Amino acid sequence: MIPVRMMRKMVWERSMNKLSRGLSSSQIRKPRPPSLVSLDLIDEWSSTFTHSHSPPIQKSINNDSARIIDGRSAAEEIKSSIAVEVSRMKESIGKVPGLAVILVGQRRDSLAYVRNKIMACHEVGFRFSIAELPESCTEDDVCDALSNYNKDASIHGILVQLPLPQHFDEGKILNVLSLEKDVDGFHPLNIGNLAIQGREPLFIPCTAKGCIELLLSSDVEIVGKRAVVIGRSNIVGLPTFLLLQRHHATVSIVHAYSENPEIITREADILVAAAGVPNLVRGSWLKPGAVVLDVGINPIEDPESEHGYRLIGDVCFEEAVRIASAVTPVPGGVGPMTVAMLLLNTLEAAKRALCFT
């Protein structure tokens, strides 16, 4: 009889040999000792997928254009209610919620996110602080900034703008973050409690929370429906998968190594696209009448734009509106709701810290 450890090692070696065929060395991280965990392959859609074997595009079962799910108006309603609570807090105890952001480098999408968060904080009356660090900084620099905000009683929520440059260990950095101030919901304990039935995280990751809020506010039935999440990042894909399960959907994840992903997505009543690839999802990927949430925010060069670029999603919007029953635009869909959920989490953190009800 072959010992379990030896059998595990044999399976791991066979899997690594199979997965490494046709992959560049940059796609495969340094192998870890054999274990039951995954092999840590980097998702690179452009090198592993081409649009092939796609059937003709079918129109929506209603023969109408899809309903546009307006994330901006939903977010504005939430922000208005937050502003009322902040005013009440300021009048009652003389304090307001404080949010701090740690930004490393100058990624265009990260700059856009942070800019939106600053404006949103000013709109609702939050205190805002930002620590901007160069891409060349060290992990210790980031951890020092985190530690300072952890100790600052006027800061109730802290987020590290992700993704960080590749040479950083995100897990190590997030472990430094105070659980009570983890308003992005990425602390291992928050994610772990989201995954375990019967437990509640202190905070739910903002984009996943925003997606569910949009579905609920749009009267989209989730229970029992087939949902597909494209992308498996710790930021969006994984928490969205977990939260859809919490709402009793039957959920699948599609990633860069999924075979024939369009076949899987065509079964989805609810599709969440979060791969970070412009126009990855074409009309032929969609089930007629599906509800499509486009999380992708991809900067495309545009000299005529104020910032020199414009943002498009992971879903080909022009094709999706012909097949889906409802779809979020980019910008103006999931993005504003993500910011609104961040504000809501920060308000909850401040109320908890200040014992304010």
Side-chain angles (χ1 to χ4, degrees):
M1 188 173 186
I2 302 174
V4 173
R5 284 189 179 180
M6 186 177 295
M7 184 178 295
R8 189 185 298 167
K9 183 174 186 293
M10 291 167 61
V11 171
W12 178 76
E13 288 175 344
R14 284 200 298 268
S15 300
M16 179 59 77
N17 288 336
K18 180 180 178 182
L19 286 167
S20 63
R21 289 174 194 150
L23 299 180
S24 66
S25 58
S26 64
Q27 287 178 274
I28 305 176
R29 294 180 182 171
K30 183 179 179 180
R32 296 179 179 177
S35 69
L36 295 180
V37 298
S38 64
L39 299 178
D40 278 355
L41 296 179
I42 301 172
D43 278 359
E44 291 187 3
W45 288 86
S46 59
S47 62
T48 60
F49 175 77
T50 56
H51 286 89
S52 60
H53 312 299
S54 297
I57 295 175
Q58 302 178 50
K59 288 191 175 181
S60 169
I61 53 177
N62 298 319
N63 285 323
D64 293 323
S65 293
R67 174 166 57 100
I68 306 303
I69 299 176
D70 185 357
R72 280 202 178 102
S73 62
E76 286 303 318
E77 288 185 21
I78 293 168
K79 287 193 292 184
S80 294
S81 65
I82 291 172
V84 171
E85 282 294 282
V86 172
S87 294
R88 189 170 70 87
M89 180 183 290
K90 188 174 182 179
E91 290 175 5
S92 299
I93 61 176
K95 296 180 180 179
V96 298
L99 176 65
V101 173
I102 297 175
L103 175 64
V104 180
Q106 294 289 310
R107 278 179 60 115
R108 283 182 171 178
D109 53 352
S110 292
L111 290 171
Y113 297 149
V114 170
R115 188 165 53 245
N116 291 338
K117 289 164 186 173
I118 293 172
M119 290 189 295
C121 282
H122 290 159
E123 287 175 22
V124 299
F126 281 13
R127 177 176 181 266
F128 185 86
S129 178
I130 184 169
E132 296 185 77
L133 302 172
E135 190 168 344
S136 59
C137 73
T138 66
E139 287 181 357
D140 287 342
D141 293 330
V142 179
C143 290
D144 286 345
L146 263 177
S147 297
N148 289 335
Y149 283 135
N150 281 343
K151 300 170 188 173
D152 189 341
S154 69
I155 296 297
H156 307 101
I158 308 168
L159 67 90
V160 180
Q161 186 63 51
L162 300 178
L164 290 168
Q166 287 190 348
H167 63 280
F168 284 95
D169 183 345
E170 287 184 1
K172 174 186 173 182
I173 290 170
L174 292 177
N175 277 331
V176 176
L177 175 58
S178 168
L179 180 65
E180 292 76 15
K181 297 186 179 187
D182 175 37
V183 289
D184 246 349
F186 296 148
H187 191 285
L189 286 177
N190 276 322
I191 292 293
N193 284 331
L194 180 61
I196 298 174
Q197 196 170 20
R199 293 193 181 181
E200 292 293 329
L202 277 180
F203 305 103
I204 296 172
C206 302
T207 300
K209 188 175 181 179
C211 285
I212 298 300
E213 287 287 349
L214 281 177
L215 292 174
L216 296 176
S217 64
S218 301
D219 297 320
V220 175
E221 188 175 353
I222 304 175
V223 177
K225 297 300 182 180
R226 301 190 72 166
V228 173
V229 179
I230 303 177
R232 54 181 175 177
S233 72
N234 294 333
I235 302 172
V236 180
L238 175 61
T240 302
F241 171 87
L242 295 172
L243 198 52
L244 283 166
Q245 280 197 135
R246 282 287 187 112
H247 285 261
H248 310 293
T250 302
V251 195
S252 300
I253 280 188
V254 166
H255 51 78
Y257 300 97
S258 299
E259 294 184 357
N260 302 314
E262 66 273 31
I263 294 176
I264 302 171
T265 61
R266 281 199 294 271
E267 296 294 319
D269 302 303
I270 299 168
L271 180 71
V272 181
V277 181
N279 290 333
L280 173 70
V281 179
R282 308 307 296 263
S284 59
W285 285 41
L286 303 177
K287 176 181 180 179
V291 175
V292 180
L293 302 183
D294 190 353
V295 181
I297 301 182
N298 305 292
I300 300 297
E301 295 290 339
D302 184 356
E304 297 182 3
S305 173
E306 178 184 354
H307 301 288
Y309 64 94
R310 60 188 174 88
L311 302 175
I312 66 171
D314 288 358
V315 178
C316 183
F317 184 81
E318 294 77 10
E319 295 180 7
V321 293
R322 295 164 52 195
I323 300 103
S325 62
V327 61
T328 59
V330 175
V334 176
M337 281 298 286
T338 297
V339 176
M341 295 301 102
L342 173 64
L343 298 177
L344 196 58
N345 282 354
T346 305
L347 176 62
E348 291 173 1
K351 284 184 171 183
R352 191 180 295 121
L354 299 171
C355 300
F356 182 79
T357 58

